[in-house]
């Protein structure tokens, strides 16, 4: 057999893996926001306060914080397939439990069901960067990560749009309201179950051949060389990552808070406009999806991680200020426009944070860095939602939004202080020299059997 260098190869299955993950992430995000965008409707149906309905959103954030480290450990030690199956399975289970909560006295059951969906989220949010890195090539990885995050954003968008249409506010006919809610709950449960079975069919631990040189290096690292505890310690010793951890938490926590309280903000100034509140939320998220894709493509082309992240952060701050001071003008079309601009930058920031973290922390696990970023986002999201909700109720939506503006300004300063060291990009660009054992070109060599001797200038 002739000697030759084994080059990375791309698997066709990678597109199916990305598509299935994006779909069940979509359904999970839909379940997160489906109560909040109808907060006045569900408060009337269950006979509870707005704060109790807000907790149906915040339970996602509360569950994430204590469970993310065990979930990340599971991802790093037991792998991608098991983690994906747990996320899809719990998502379906929570959806079916909601079907049993279709009575005004069953708020505790719907809270328990939403808690199961919240646990599912823990096994979902950390996967985009892992799927992108393990399955996609170096020129695709940022775009793939953006598409994976896009699924979650699309779920939020549908969660803003569909529930107000399916469940109109009929306070004088609770039976009709229960019937309408049942259509939404059962439909979600059926789709979730189908996606769980598709996950079992499509997901594999990794492709047969590594898609990039950096994955070839990681896949040939002996398992005993990896320490989860040491990875956590390394990340917290990485000052740029710690700064990003806080700034990402601020921005994403602010997005969670705005999304949760959007219905209350809109109906405060535009009474009876629940459907348009959902459409404004849809506009916010769809614009953010466009922003995410554009940012992903831009990163793949330029690798300007810090510059892009900082610019998007500043524009998000400006967007929130404009949204805040135009919300009460009395023109819904203005709110649609300012909400779209805000969403383009604020939601478009989400995949930037993931990819920036992977770049400045390589070769630490993508699941670990993503998990910590999301934990920070949940903590800030809980605090921001509680404080902004209190300010909105006691004073006005403007007071709550200005509170968020102040924090986002802090995030801009922290982002500006980050010193970037693009380690993974250096590997994929060929700074490392690879001496690979000669193998037949057509030989089905597994990545583990490839001998890599690395001479690094890093």
């Amino acid at each position: 057999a002739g000697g030759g260098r084994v080059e990375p190869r791309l698997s066709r299955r990678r597109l199916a893996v990305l598509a299935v993950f994006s779909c069940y992430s979509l359904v999970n995000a839909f379940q997160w926001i489906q109560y909040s965008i109808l907060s006045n409707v569900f408060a009337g149906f269950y006979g509870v306060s707005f704060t109790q309905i807000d907790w149906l959103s915040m339970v996602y954030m509360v569950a994430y914080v204590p469970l993310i480290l065990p979930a990340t450990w599971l991802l790093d030690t037991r792998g991608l397939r098991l983690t994906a199956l747990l996320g899809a399975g719990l998502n379906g289970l929570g959806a079916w439990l909601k079907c049993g909560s279709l009575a005004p006295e069953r708020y505790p059951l719907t809270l328990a069901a939403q808690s199961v969906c919240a646990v599912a989220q823990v096994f979902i949010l950390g996967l985009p960067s892992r799927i992108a890195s393990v399955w996609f090539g170096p020129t695709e990885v940022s775009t793939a990560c953006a598409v994976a995050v896009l699924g979650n954003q699309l779920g939020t968008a549908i969660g803003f749009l569909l529930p107000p249409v399916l469940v109109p506010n009929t306070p004088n006919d609770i039976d009709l309201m229960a019937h309408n809610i049942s259509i939404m709950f059962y439909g979600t449960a059926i789709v979730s179950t189908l996606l769980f079975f598709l996950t079992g069919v499509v997901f594999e631990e990794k492709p047969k051949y590594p898609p990039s040189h950096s994955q070839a290096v990681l896949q040939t690292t002996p398992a005993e060389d990896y320490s989860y505890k040491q990875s956590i310690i390394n990340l917290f010793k990485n000052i740029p990552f710690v700064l990003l951890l806080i700034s990402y938490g601020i921005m994403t926590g602010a997005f969670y808070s705005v999304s949760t309280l959007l219905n209350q903000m809109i109906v405060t100034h535009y009474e009876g406009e629940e459907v348009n509140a959902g459409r404004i939320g849809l506009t916010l998220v769809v614009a953010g999806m466009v922003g995410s894709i554009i940012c992903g493509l831009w990163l793949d082309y330029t690798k300007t991680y810090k510059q892009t992240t900082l610019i998007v952060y500043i524009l998000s701050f400006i967007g929130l200020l404009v949204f805040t001071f135009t919300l009460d003008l009395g023109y819904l079309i203005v709110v649609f426009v300012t909400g779209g601009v805000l969403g383009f930058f604020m939601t478009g920031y989400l995949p930037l944070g993931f990819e920036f973290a992977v770049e400045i922390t390589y070769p630490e696990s993508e699941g670990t860095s993503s998990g910590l970023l999301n934990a920070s986002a949940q903590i800030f999201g809980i605090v921001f939602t509680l404080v902004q909700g209190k300010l909105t109720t006691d004073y006005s939506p403007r007071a709550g939004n200005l509170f968020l503006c102040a924090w986002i300004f802090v995030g801009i300063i922290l982002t500006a202080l980050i010193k970037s060291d693009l380690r993974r990009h250096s590997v994929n660009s060929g700074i490392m020299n690879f001496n690979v054992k000669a193998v037949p070109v057509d030989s089905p060599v597994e990545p583990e059997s490839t001998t890599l001797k690395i001479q690094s200038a890093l």
Side-chain angles (χ1 to χ4, degrees), residues 162-186:
L162 204 54
V165 175
L166 293 176
V167 189
N169 192 8
T170 56
N172 298 322
D173 193 341
I174 296 298
D175 290 337
L176 176 60
M177 187 180 292
H179 172 73
N180 292 332
I181 294 172
S182 72
I183 294 173
M184 179 170 66
F185 281 175
Y186 277 102

Side-chain angles (χ1 to χ4, degrees), residues 61 245-246 249-250 253-254 375-385 407:
M61 310 174 203
L245 186 68
I246 299 171
I250 291 172
S376 175
Q378 311 304 325
I379 293 171
F380 278 101
I382 295 167
V383 175
F384 286 173
T385 302
W407 274 99

Side-chain angles (χ1 to χ4, degrees), residues 5-21:
R5 171 172 158 171
V6 177
E7 293 294 334
R9 306 183 193 179
L10 296 178
S11 168
R12 293 180 181 177
R13 184 183 285 262
R14 74 192 191 284
L15 300 177
V17 169
L18 183 62
V20 171
F21 169 79

